[in-house]
Amino acid sequence: MNLDEAQKQKVVGWLEEGLKLSEIQKKVASEFGLSMTYMEMRFLLDDLKLKPKEKEASGTPVPDLGAKSQAGGKAAMKPGTAVPPDEPLDELEDEEEALPGGVGNVSVSVDRVTRPGALVSGTVTFSDGKSAQWHLDQLGRLGMVPKEQGYRPSQTDLMGFQAQLQKELAKLGY
């Protein structure tokens, strides 16, 4: 960069004082008369083999979640930090059990060949035996076209449809 050794030492001192990179950038501009972008400051620190002491908004240092502990090989975390579970929780089964009766009578299938304009599509058969085609578009909007014009499934069947659809899509990796 454009700094001499004395100026570089001042930058090192400011960094050790705990100044943020943007504050150091302002000091370089005011004291040395050099206008440097934030990225140029990052490159300067990289050239000097230094790392800024980044802090969160709360003022606590940001933990290095990529660091591995010696003992278990898992990411080192601060005490009191939430640890993700080893096995995923299956919330869909709980939702199905919590829904009123009639949910088990809704069946959802996913098409092998997706309808044009849809991310995924399929059919659903409700508890009263009536069926509809459904599709999920690229914006995440769910659409349903009943085979019988004007048909509206019950609220319970709709809740069951959504739960079954989530379960089927989860199997497919959506």
Side-chain angles (χ1 to χ4, degrees):
M1 294 289 165
N2 303 338
L3 301 178
D4 61 27
E5 286 303 314
Q7 292 172 328
K8 287 179 183 178
Q9 291 305 317
K10 273 198 160 184
V11 170
V12 170
W14 292 331
L15 191 62
E16 289 174 354
E17 289 175 19
L19 293 179
K20 295 179 186 174
L21 198 57
S22 60
E23 295 169 332
I24 295 172
Q25 181 182 9
K26 290 174 187 172
K27 281 192 170 261
V28 167
S30 65
E31 293 191 22
F32 305 149
L34 292 173
S35 178
M36 298 177 81
T37 65
Y38 187 83
M39 186 57 75
E40 288 173 328
M41 288 300 302
R42 295 288 303 202
F43 288 142
L44 173 65
L45 294 183
D46 189 48
D47 289 345
L48 296 174
K49 309 270 190 280
L50 299 172
K51 206 170 194 179
K53 298 174 184 170
E54 298 291 332
K55 294 189 176 198
E56 290 180 354
S58 64
T60 59
V62 178
D64 184 11
L65 298 178
K68 301 284 183 180
S69 67
Q70 299 276 340
K74 296 199 176 201
M77 299 182 82
K78 286 185 190 177
T81 306
V83 178
D86 289 335
E87 297 179 20
L89 299 175
D90 191 5
E91 298 171 1
L92 296 177
E93 290 179 359
D94 296 338
E95 289 175 9
E96 287 176 18
E97 292 170 8
L99 295 174
V103 172
N105 298 331
V106 176
S107 65
V108 175
S109 64
V110 178
D111 292 339
R112 289 181 143 190
V113 178
T114 305
R115 293 176 54 184
L119 185 63
V120 64
S121 62
T123 57
V124 57
T125 304
F126 297 103
S127 62
D128 57 5
K130 301 198 180 190
S131 61
Q133 292 182 330
W134 61 267
H135 64 276
L136 191 65
D137 69 9
Q138 283 93 4
L139 298 176
R141 296 178 296 195
L142 179 63
M144 190 167 30
V145 181
K147 288 190 178 179
E148 182 182 311
Q149 190 172 357
Y151 172 71
R152 295 184 71 92
S154 67
Q155 189 66 29
T156 304
D157 278 355
L158 284 176
M159 291 170 40
F161 165 63
Q162 290 175 343
Q164 289 290 330
L165 181 59
Q166 284 179 335
K167 190 175 184 178
E168 291 297 319
L169 293 179
K171 287 180 190 176
L172 297 173
Y174 287 102

